[in-house]
Amino acid sequence: MNLREKYNIPSNTVITIAGTVGVGKSTMTKALAQSLNFRTSFEKVDTNPYLDKFYDDFEKWSFHLQIYFLAERFKEQKRIFEYGGGFIQDRSIYEDTGIFAKMHYDKGTMSPTDYETYTNLFEAMVMTPYFPHPDLLVYLEGPIDDIIGRIQERGREMEQQTPTGYWIEMHDRYENWINSFNSCPVLRLDINDYDLVKNPEQIECIVERIAYMLEQSSRFQK
Ligand SMILES: Nc1ncnc2c1ncn2[C@@H]1O[C@H](COP(=O)(O)OP(=O)(O)O)[C@@H](O)[C@H]1O
Ligand SMILES: Nc1ncnc2c1ncn2[C@H]1C[C@H](O)[C@@H](COP(=O)(O)O)O1
């Protein structure tokens, strides 16, 4: 019996993992998918044609990158729908606009016209009753110093060369964003309360909490 059956998690559930760069979303996505026997939907970093250029010159590439991410995430959304759910998704589509596009607009590295075009497109595509929201958003959070340490340790050159002020600003924005997020139920996990690298068996406690949240939110909807 896998953990999905043990904790009565419906096989069509869609869970999205959110949190700042380096916090541990991909690690959590893999661990949850394996224990629940779900499919994964990952952000593809190595094949992204804009990401390196973007980190080199935010102003020039921020609009291109947001459009690329929006298209990729929408395609993934379609794939999840076609399979009838049963997915763990590495990063939510809501973070693209709520964190990244907004931050670059506020900082002046995305022009007001580009930002307006992007948000109009996002709203037309995502903020409609036709776009299925995930059943649960698992939000990973932790101290900024630990997160910067993980970014450095992971070793993506473009991220290592980015000034730490960028990660600090993003970390602060995430805190505000999650406090007002209401598109689906949220489970918040502190990265200092578990360590899936050293203690992979801790995933069961997390699955148990997920099952409880899903049960509560389905009761609430009834
Ligand atoms: N629980 C953990 N304990 C220690 N290191 C971790 C843990 N989870 C992830 N990491 C490490 O932190 C780095 C970033 O994790 P990753 O899952 O790629 O983050 P994200 O997908 O959020 O960018 C990786 O090097 C990963 O091995
Ligand atoms: N919407 C985005 N805008 C800018 N940069 C983004 C966006 N979504 C992801 N990214 C970047 C951040 C990281 O460098 C990589 C992968 O993110 P990760 O949190 O490590 O999964 O893409």
Side-chain angles (χ1 to χ4, degrees):
M1 191 194 270
N2 66 32
L3 292 184
R4 184 189 71 71
E5 288 162 346
K6 181 170 174 187
Y7 290 100
N8 283 323
I9 293 179
S11 59
N12 61 354
T13 303
V14 176
I15 298 169
T16 191
I17 315 295
T20 196
V21 176
V23 72
K25 296 180 299 301
S26 306
T27 309
M28 177 65 75
T29 299
K30 281 181 217 141
L32 276 179
Q34 199 184 4
S35 60
L36 297 176
N37 201 17
F38 276 4
R39 291 189 167 83
T40 52
S41 169
F42 282 108
E43 275 181 327
K44 295 182 204 94
V45 170
D46 298 342
T47 53
N48 185 317
Y50 294 109
L51 204 52
D52 264 320
K53 293 178 180 154
F54 164 77
Y55 276 105
D56 246 13
D57 187 342
F58 287 148
E59 212 163 331
K60 186 163 176 194
W61 295 105
S62 58
F63 181 68
H64 303 72
L65 180 68
Q66 291 314 322
I67 298 296
Y68 180 84
F69 269 121
L70 185 56
E72 286 299 300
R73 294 210 215 278
F74 215 78
K75 279 194 281 182
E76 281 299 287
Q77 196 66 39
K78 192 165 157 251
R79 188 168 74 93
I80 293 171
F81 180 79
E82 283 166 358
Y83 273 113
F87 267 83
I88 310 292
Q89 191 178 27
D90 179 6
R91 176 159 280 128
S92 71
I93 200 163
Y94 313 109
E95 290 156 83
D96 290 327
T97 178
I99 301 287
F100 292 95
K102 179 142 191 350
M103 172 164 139
H104 283 277
Y105 165 66
D106 288 344
K107 293 278 163 194
T109 45
M110 185 187 271
S111 76
T113 312
D114 285 350
Y115 183 65
E116 200 187 334
T117 305
Y118 171 75
T119 47
N120 279 339
L121 184 61
F122 182 91
E123 270 160 36
M125 289 170 80
V126 179
M127 302 321 261
T128 77
Y130 315 109
F131 185 89
H133 296 288
D135 298 293
L136 183 68
L137 182 141
V138 175
Y139 180 68
L140 306 184
E141 60 194 329
I144 182 64
D145 291 346
D146 295 354
I147 291 165
I148 291 175
R150 286 184 182 192
I151 292 173
Q152 292 304 333
E153 200 182 306
R154 177 170 59 191
R156 288 181 191 146
E157 211 182 319
M158 57 192 171
E159 293 173 352
Q160 286 175 321
Q161 287 170 359
T162 298
T164 50
Y166 185 77
W167 308 121
I168 295 169
E169 165 95 29
M170 189 178 289
H171 186 262
D172 292 350
R173 280 174 181 260
Y174 260 103
E175 188 62 27
N176 293 329
W177 171 80
I178 196 64
N179 286 335
S180 56
F181 179 82
N182 59 7
S183 295
C184 70
V186 175
L187 172 65
R188 292 173 78 141
L189 297 178
D190 191 309
I191 60 171
N192 285 322
D193 292 343
Y194 66 89
D195 187 337
L196 296 177
V197 176
K198 286 203 192 103
N199 308 308
E201 74 288 349
Q202 286 180 342
I203 197 69
E204 181 157 359
C205 296
I206 295 172
V207 168
E208 201 175 346
R209 290 181 65 187
I210 288 175
Y212 179 77
M213 283 289 299
L214 289 169
E215 168 68 17
Q216 293 299 308
S217 58
S218 77
R219 274 202 201 158
F220 186 69
Q221 278 162 12
K222 274 178 203 160

